[in-house]
Amino acid sequence: MELDPATRVVHAGERREAGEPSAPGIEIASAFLSSGVTPPGEYVYGRHGNATWEDLESALGELEEARALVFASGLAASFALLMALTEDRARVLMPGDGYFGVRRLAQMLAKRGIDAAAIDMGDLAGVERELAAQPCLLWGESPTNPFLRVLDLERLAKLAQQHGAHFVVDNTTATAALQRPLELGAHACVYSLTKSSSGHSDVVLGAVTTRDEKLLGRVREWRDNAGAIAGPFEAWVALRGLRTLPLRIERQSSSALAIARHLEQHPRVLHVHYPGIDEHTSTVALRQMRAGGPLLSFELDGTAADADAVVSAAKLIRPATSFGGVESSWERRARWKGESAPPSLIRLSVGIEAPRDLIADIDAALAGP
Ligand SMILES: *Cc1c(COP(=O)(O)O)cnc(C)c1O
């Protein structure tokens, strides 16, 4: 019987001989003794390979039956993938509400010949027109944040295939535990492991996953030569977190859905954004995702100052950016320059606390002083 990914991620990389440690150690060496010539698989120098990265990569690979490469951050992984997939084309299509840092990176590369356009990827006819006009790299992200918009990844993959476009998905928000874009036709996924995948707000790290060995080789070449490698300690911390990802995100998703439903009924809340709860995206979200994930956002009936007051009134939920940690956190998104969210929108990352305690904290914060 085929093992479930939730089982495989727990056992990935284990050695079952007597006397082996039951948890992997951390390989910190920067250089390895050499036999003169380098047979494949032999470690030589720390920038080219490390056993602790490979433990993490094998666990990431188990989650989506793919090969993985880890990087120093989600943006380092995005950069390598962007470089590898623009060797034969310059045009990059990104969602207008995708992760700000990736859009900014693509803009910075304009002087190096990359022509990035922010488009509405929910408009499939518009995407098709762009793809038909010239060879493209289609850079998807779903759900987006802070609006938690869901893109139809399977249909985007089909359009990409019809027009010879490369198609990648930033799967940071849903993670491989909830959504498997490679199975829907994406050539590669990119992750910030900083968020839910590691899950404890204590590491910055990224990864690329793919089933295409040639693409894997090209991305590895960028990592080897541009040098944005993971630290062994960070890789070890991320692996420890990843083992419990399926368990954490199941709890976070069910709590987030309960909180979204609760907020929909709250008199101070104008709109709630969560995958699967609005009529525009629910069918795609339910088909594409095992659950909605830890992130939701809501617009308060009030000003930016009102929203700031709510954020700082919480006793349990922490006022902080980032998401996917075991502890719940929230922030008013428009405090960031370049963020297009309405002034009173609060983004909440639901942790693994008891949902009852979170709802009580939210209600008290919304009730004011
Ligand atoms: C955080 C994030 C990134 C960037 O990752 P870092 O680890 O911060 O470099 C990329 N994409 C998404 C969707 C993110 O949330």
Side-chain angles (χ1 to χ4, degrees):
M1 196 183 63
E2 181 78 357
L3 294 175
D4 192 277
T7 306
R8 292 203 306 266
V9 75
V10 170
H11 289 273
E14 75 181 1
R15 295 149 194 103
R16 293 187 82 103
E17 291 77 44
E20 288 286 349
S22 55
I26 308 178
E27 176 55 71
I28 60 167
S30 60
F32 299 82
L33 303 194
S34 160
S35 57
V37 288
T38 312
E42 192 177 290
Y43 298 119
V44 179
Y45 182 62
R47 179 157 34 77
H48 301 301
N50 170 285
T52 311
W53 305 346
E54 284 173 17
D55 286 339
L56 173 59
E57 287 166 352
S58 82
L60 285 165
E62 292 292 358
L63 280 175
E64 47 189 333
E65 286 150 74
R67 299 284 302 280
L69 290 170
V70 298
F71 283 84
S73 67
L75 275 180
S78 302
F79 182 66
L81 194 55
L82 200 55
M83 290 293 102
L85 289 176
T86 49
E87 279 164 11
D88 59 349
R89 62 201 61 201
R91 181 91 167 142
V92 183
L93 305 175
M94 297 185 148
D97 58 344
Y99 184 70
F100 181 67
V102 182
R103 283 186 288 133
R104 189 171 46 198
L105 171 65
Q107 281 161 11
M108 284 173 69
L109 292 168
K111 293 196 191 90
R112 306 285 188 285
I114 290 195
D115 168 24
I119 61 166
D120 174 5
M121 282 196 194
D123 169 15
L124 293 171
V127 173
E128 183 154 29
R129 272 196 305 278
E130 291 279 354
L131 294 179
Q134 58 182 301
C136 289
L137 160 58
L138 190 61
W139 189 281
E141 182 183 329
S142 184
T144 60
N145 89 70
F147 291 106
L148 288 309
R149 290 201 184 103
V150 175
L151 299 177
D152 191 332
L153 298 178
E154 197 169 8
R155 292 190 60 193
L156 287 170
K158 285 219 174 78
L159 287 179
Q161 195 195 5
Q162 279 161 18
H163 295 280
H166 303 312
F167 180 44
V168 310
V169 175
D170 184 330
N171 200 28
T172 297
T173 308
T175 79
L178 297 183
Q179 175 170 278
R180 312 223 298 172
L182 300 179
E183 239 141 62
L184 303 173
H187 298 118
C189 289
V190 64
Y191 294 93
S192 169
L193 302 179
T194 314
K195 317 290 168 50
S196 304
S197 294
S198 67
H200 294 71
S201 312
D202 52 9
V203 71
V204 174
L205 219 60
V208 170
T209 60
T210 182
R211 292 173 178 171
D212 176 344
E213 286 293 328
K214 256 178 73 186
L215 175 58
L216 188 90
R218 296 219 301 278
V219 175
R220 184 195 295 276
E221 207 177 356
W222 275 98
R223 183 178 70 178
D224 277 0
N225 294 293
I229 58 166
F233 176 70
E234 285 75 8
W236 184 85
V237 170
L239 174 59
R240 188 185 161 109
L242 191 71
R243 305 266 199 218
T244 57
L245 167 64
L247 197 62
R248 285 184 281 107
I249 209 150
E250 197 179 303
R251 162 79 159 206
Q252 288 167 308
S253 299
S254 73
S255 299
L257 179 60
I259 292 169
R261 295 263 182 245
H262 181 77
L263 287 171
E264 279 185 316
Q265 307 301 323
H266 199 285
R268 286 196 71 195
V269 173
L270 290 177
H271 294 292
V272 179
H273 305 282
Y274 189 67
I277 66 167
D278 73 67
E279 67 278 16
H280 306 299
T281 59
S282 56
T283 27
V284 178
L286 299 176
R287 192 172 68 229
Q288 190 168 283
M289 301 175 72
R290 289 178 68 156
L295 262 192
L296 65 91
S297 66
F298 60 98
E299 289 161 52
L300 201 69
D301 187 3
T303 62
D306 295 335
D308 283 334
V310 168
V311 165
S312 55
K315 300 260 183 309
L316 211 51
I317 301 173
R318 298 165 69 163
T321 192
S322 198
F323 61 86
V326 289
E327 76 294 352
S328 296
S329 62
W330 61 5
E331 67 174 335
R332 190 174 67 79
R333 277 307 284 183
R335 73 193 178 107
W336 294 99
K337 223 173 93 198
E339 171 64 81
S340 53
S344 73
L345 181 139
I346 296 172
R347 188 185 73 181
L348 168 63
S349 172
V350 178
I352 62 168
E353 302 94 335
R356 184 182 66 114
D357 295 334
L358 293 175
I359 287 176
D361 197 40
I362 292 166
D363 281 349
L366 285 170

